[in-house]
Amino acid sequence: MQTLALPKLHRAAGEVTIPGSKSLSNRILLLAALCRGQTKVTNLLDSDDIRHMLTALKQLGVDYQLSDDRSECIVQGLAGPLASGQIETLYLGNAGTAMRPLAAALCIGSGEFELTGEDRMFERPIGDLIDALKPLGIDVEYLKDEGFPPLKINAKTLTAAPIKIDGSISSQFLTAVLMAAPLLKQAITIEVIGELVSKPYIDITLNVMQQFGVTVENQNYQRFVIDGEQQYVSPGDIQVEGDASSASYFLAAGAIGGGPVKVHGTGTASVQGDTKFANVLEQMGAKVTWSENWIEVSADGPLKAIDLDLNHIPDAAMTIAVAALFAEGTTTIRNIYNWRVKETDRIEAMATELRKLGVRVEDGLDYISVTPSKEVHGAAIDTYNDHRIAMCFSLAAFATDGVIINDPGCTAKTFPDYFERFSQISE
Ligand SMILES: O=C(O)C1=C[C@@H](OP(=O)(O)O)[C@@H](O)[C@H](O)C1
Ligand SMILES: C=C(OP(=O)(O)O)C(=O)O
């Protein structure tokens, strides 16, 4: 296993342009494949999650050309559902944004498909999505554990029926149904049961669908109405925004290490809910300046602890758990149960690794509380094959020397050259 020893950091300042958004890249690629016409996607993210989507689409016969640096992709749309004449096994790594939307899209395609991935994917639920689609008459078999990938999908003609979907574990299930729904033969209604988590990701979905010409009637995120027999239409050119979750590490560095750190690629014009991370830093006492597509953060003193429900920014909220080391008082992040079903059990993992640094941590089913201590010390941080654990713990190097990140290469899921970029704004 590789390790990365971080020097003690004293200051953060500079500018960084963050890579394209994972959430947008994979949604855009899927709709570019389903739509009528050719789509030129620019600022596409090049990371493991996107490579899995691209490889799957290629296997499904979607024709595209990638530029040498893989940041531009010209996709020839199929003008309809995905199809295959033979059994296709699609390996989707640990990419939720590939597994969930492809599962729904393939149910309404034609052919037989096996959807598989890495071991952790077999522990990440998909049952609420499959259950939601059952009234349409789908044929899906769980190949290992009931409710989890790997899956076998035998696509067949479906009949329209009202859909009820549980939104309390992952918004990706609703995203998946929304994106597939316009290709059904008749109009459908989707009713959300349970608290819808990670709600801003639904705005990303509706925004991308709109850019591909499909409008959804959104009745207060409780009910969605979508006409059937629609065709997605290529917008021609589409640019992927910078990734707001990836921005969080640099913005937090600005708040912890003085700044200013200016992050280009996301701002007030962004459709990504994770831009709200900057508001949390502001509540912690940082100075935040916004433009349409950059955000700048600085601070001239210690941060203040917060106690907040961060369900709307589950990914960026992990960065707050480490920023808490630099805040006066106890920081509590609430309503984050679904951290437990992501790349790893993130509540458990964050609590374990923060404690290794000598910090006081309390954790429960759906929250984590972090109280900094004067005795913070270095430690080798295990990253559980979770890119965000590796990235957010880089900030601990502003508190102490001796921070070692185990398996730093796991950032390849969404941000392959993260540590190189981080070193450019910190010293
Ligand atoms: O739709 C998306 O692009 C995502 C939704 C969120 O997942 P949940 O809805 O499972 O919280 C988020 O954590 C994930 O990284 C990306
Ligand atoms: C939860 C995440 O990924 P996924 O898209 O695989 O759900 C994440 O990137 O933090």
Side-chain angles (χ1 to χ4, degrees):
M1 181 189 62
Q2 285 201 329
T3 61
L4 177 68
L6 295 170
K8 165 92 170 78
L9 298 173
H10 303 278
R11 198 177 137 61
E15 302 198 16
V16 61
T17 300
I18 34 153
S21 151
K22 166 198 76 170
S23 295
L24 282 161
S25 293
N26 271 352
R27 283 168 173 77
I28 289 171
L29 286 173
L30 179 58
L31 297 196
L34 298 173
C35 79
R36 188 180 73 227
Q38 172 179 295
T39 309
K40 181 176 173 191
V41 188
T42 53
N43 199 37
L44 188 70
L45 174 62
D46 179 21
S47 77
D48 286 353
D49 279 10
I50 308 320
R51 288 183 179 220
H52 291 309
M53 176 63 97
L54 282 166
T55 307
L57 293 176
K58 178 133 285 174
Q59 269 180 266
L60 295 166
V62 178
D63 185 21
Y64 59 78
Q65 295 84 44
L66 269 174
S67 62
D68 288 345
D69 69 356
R70 304 177 73 98
S71 72
E72 273 187 29
C73 188
I74 299 176
V75 186
Q76 313 299 334
L78 297 169
L82 298 160
S84 171
Q86 61 190 59
I87 301 184
E88 276 305 336
T89 300
L90 307 175
Y91 179 85
L92 303 171
N94 195 8
T97 55
M99 175 62 79
R100 279 81 180 251
L102 276 171
L106 290 170
C107 282
I108 58 161
S110 58
E112 282 181 71
F113 312 94
E114 281 190 21
L115 268 54
T116 186
E118 59 187 63
D119 287 354
R120 176 61 182 169
M121 187 57 106
F122 303 163
E123 297 171 347
R124 298 186 65 190
I126 198 162
D128 290 341
L129 170 59
I130 304 305
D131 288 349
L133 295 171
K134 274 184 185 154
L136 305 178
I138 58 164
D139 180 352
V140 174
E141 189 189 329
Y142 296 112
L143 297 175
K144 203 165 163 276
D145 296 331
E146 180 84 12
F148 297 84
L151 304 175
K152 180 159 186 225
I153 296 172
N154 189 355
K156 44 188 203 171
T157 310
L158 304 179
T159 43
I163 286 181
K164 282 191 193 329
I165 188 159
D166 191 323
S168 61
I169 294 293
S170 170
S171 69
Q172 291 178 6
F173 306 148
L174 175 57
T175 281
V177 178
L178 285 166
M179 290 202 291
L183 305 186
L184 288 166
K185 293 274 174 276
Q186 286 140 316
I188 60 157
T189 55
I190 304 168
E191 190 189 328
V192 179
I193 46 178
E195 182 202 354
L196 175 60
V197 293
S198 309
K199 210 190 246 177
Y201 286 94
I202 299 305
D203 294 327
I204 301 182
T205 303
L206 298 178
N207 177 283
V208 176
M209 289 173 70
Q210 173 93 60
Q211 293 195 64
F212 281 85
V214 167
T215 310
V216 174
E217 189 185 320
N218 173 2
Q219 298 173 0
N220 200 25
Y221 300 91
Q222 287 300 302
R223 227 167 151 262
F224 298 85
V225 184
I226 307 174
D227 283 344
E229 218 154 14
Q230 297 195 65
Q231 195 165 65
Y232 285 112
V233 179
S234 172
D237 292 359
I238 187 162
Q239 191 184 346
V240 177
E241 291 176 8
D243 193 301
S245 319
S246 299
S248 70
Y249 315 107
F250 300 94
L251 298 174
I256 294 163
V261 173
K262 190 187 237 184
V263 176
H264 296 270
T266 184
T268 53
S270 173
V271 297
Q272 298 165 75
D274 267 9
T275 55
K276 294 273 188 304
F277 173 81
N279 300 106
V280 180
L281 288 179
E282 206 162 26
Q283 282 179 264
M284 294 178 86
K287 178 169 183 289
V288 181
T289 312
W290 295 80
S291 92
E292 268 187 17
N293 52 19
W294 55 256
I295 306 173
E296 186 179 86
V297 175
S298 58
D300 52 14
L303 299 173
K304 294 189 293 264
I306 44 104
D307 181 336
L308 290 174
D309 176 339
L310 294 184
N311 186 281
H312 59 297
I313 55 166
D315 294 356
M318 292 171 73
T319 314
I320 295 294
V322 183
L325 291 178
F326 307 89
E328 286 171 339
T330 299
T331 289
T332 303
I333 303 171
R334 298 188 189 278
N335 200 9
I336 48 162
Y337 168 76
N338 81 350
W339 276 23
R340 295 192 183 275
V341 293
K342 296 185 185 262
E343 279 73 339
T344 185
D345 178 339
R346 286 176 164 172
I347 294 186
E348 174 81 30
M350 291 298 288
T352 305
E353 300 312 307
L354 283 164
R355 284 186 188 119
K356 281 188 190 168
L357 295 168
V359 180
R360 212 172 78 225
V361 182
E362 194 191 312
D363 57 310
L365 189 64
D366 66 350
Y367 75 93
I368 187 165
S369 282
V370 182
T371 311
S373 121
K374 294 219 162 33
E375 273 89 59
V376 169
H377 52 74
I381 302 299
D382 287 320
T383 50
Y384 309 81
N385 204 18
D386 184 341
H387 54 141
R388 295 200 196 284
I389 295 196
M391 294 190 278
C392 66
F393 272 91
S394 62
L395 299 169
F398 286 103
T400 173
D401 58 5
V403 174
I404 296 168
I405 306 290
N406 288 338
D407 187 23
C410 69
T411 67
K413 187 173 192 283
T414 54
F415 202 158
D417 62 351
Y418 171 73
F419 284 103
E420 210 177 298
R421 306 278 201 100
F422 181 67
S423 71
Q424 287 162 3
I425 57 106
S426 53
E427 58 183 34

